[in-house]
Amino acid sequence: MLPLNPTVYTVQPNDVLSIKVQSRDPDQSAFFNTTTVENRNLQANPASLFLTGYTVKSNGMIDLAIIGELKVSDLTVEEIRNLVQVEIDKYLLNASVSVKLISFKISVLGDVKNPGTNYIYNTQATIFEALSAAGDLNLSAKRKKVKLIRQVGDEAKVVNLDLTSPSIIESPYYFLHPNDVLYVETSKPNISQSNLGVFALILSAISTTLLVLNFTSK
């Protein structure tokens, strides 16, 4: 068995966090939550969570009700939860804080069945889970040449991955980060073969039509 090495993601500007506070007195904890009776139905749609979440500002801060600004950039979700918990404990007794990253999205492009962007409602996702969400690779896809594009600070890092290698699960890129992009290259020979098959069908249809016309004209 090969070991798995999940990479640790730290929150970056423009990430969106869901922060919920619960306590024995719902009326008191409500002051620290953005959820209201009016927007509960809105939150039933996961794609709308960002409207009631906390967007990390360019300076790495979020602005919590009553507590004020907290710096959360370059911290893990668990570290942010602990940070908020310390602040909440100053106001409420026996309160519980939950923090989740709700802007975890992965884009899969290229030679897959359903290219596009998918939101991941989990704490982590692997390359194969992302490809599965995209409907898997087409037969003409190059499994040995999959590009992963990852934003690191102000730069974009491009890594070539071989999905056929068993050591792929040992790669530091096996576990994806929010906003990663996977690009699957197309195998040109396979496309050519596919086109040849189409052309063969067209030629066969034309030949059949000509034979029928020649037969009926006699």
Side-chain angles (χ1 to χ4, degrees), residues 2-24:
L2 296 175
L4 292 177
N5 298 306
T7 54
V8 177
Y9 178 74
T10 56
V11 168
Q12 302 298 314
N14 298 319
D15 281 344
V16 183
L17 299 170
S18 169
I19 301 177
K20 303 298 179 188
V21 179
Q22 293 181 315
S23 69
R24 294 179 179 178

Side-chain angles (χ1 to χ4, degrees), residues 29-61:
S29 58
F31 288 108
F32 299 90
N33 293 318
T34 57
T35 305
T36 62
V37 175
E38 289 75 14
N39 62 30
R40 279 176 189 168
N41 292 333
L42 182 64
Q43 286 206 18
N45 180 2
S48 301
L49 285 172
F50 77 97
L51 292 175
T52 53
Y54 294 91
T55 300
V56 182
K57 302 176 184 177
S58 58
N59 60 0
M61 311 287 283

Side-chain angles (χ1 to χ4, degrees), residues 45-202:
N45 180 2
S48 301
L49 285 172
F50 77 97
L51 292 175
T52 53
Y54 294 91
T55 300
V56 182
K57 302 176 184 177
S58 58
N59 60 0
M61 311 287 283
I62 57 172
D63 193 2
L64 291 176
I66 300 178
I67 293 174
E69 287 194 327
L70 291 175
K71 184 173 178 58
V72 298
S73 61
D74 299 322
L75 298 178
T76 66
V77 170
E78 183 61 24
E79 288 172 336
I80 295 171
R81 193 206 72 80
N82 293 336
L83 177 65
V84 176
Q85 182 72 63
V86 170
E87 296 298 323
I88 291 296
D89 288 343
K90 297 176 182 178
Y91 299 89
L92 298 175
L93 292 175
N94 301 316
S96 175
V97 176
S98 65
V99 178
K100 294 181 180 180
L101 179 67
I102 56 177
S103 56
F104 194 159
K105 63 181 184 293
I106 302 295
S107 297
V108 182
L109 307 174
D111 203 358
V112 294
K113 289 184 173 124
N114 301 307
T117 298
N118 291 300
Y119 279 84
I120 307 296
Y121 300 106
N122 203 343
T123 55
Q124 61 184 24
T126 68
I127 293 172
F128 294 112
E129 287 172 332
L131 293 173
S132 176
D136 204 356
L137 287 73
N138 293 321
L139 292 176
S140 55
K142 286 187 177 180
R143 286 158 175 76
K144 292 187 177 182
K145 289 188 177 181
V146 174
K147 286 184 171 59
L148 183 146
I149 305 168
R150 175 172 294 174
Q151 193 74 21
V152 181
D154 296 329
E155 299 180 352
K157 186 173 186 178
V158 181
V159 180
N160 290 312
L161 301 171
D162 180 0
L163 300 184
T164 66
S165 173
S167 62
I168 184 68
I169 65 174
E170 296 178 297
S171 168
Y173 303 99
Y174 179 67
F175 286 92
L176 301 176
H177 285 185
N179 303 313
D180 277 355
V181 177
L182 290 174
Y183 178 74
V184 182
E185 292 189 19
T186 299
S187 175
K188 293 183 180 179
N190 285 346
I191 289 180
S192 299
Q193 291 174 6
S194 177
N195 288 338
L196 286 174
V198 174
F199 294 148
L201 287 173
I202 294 174

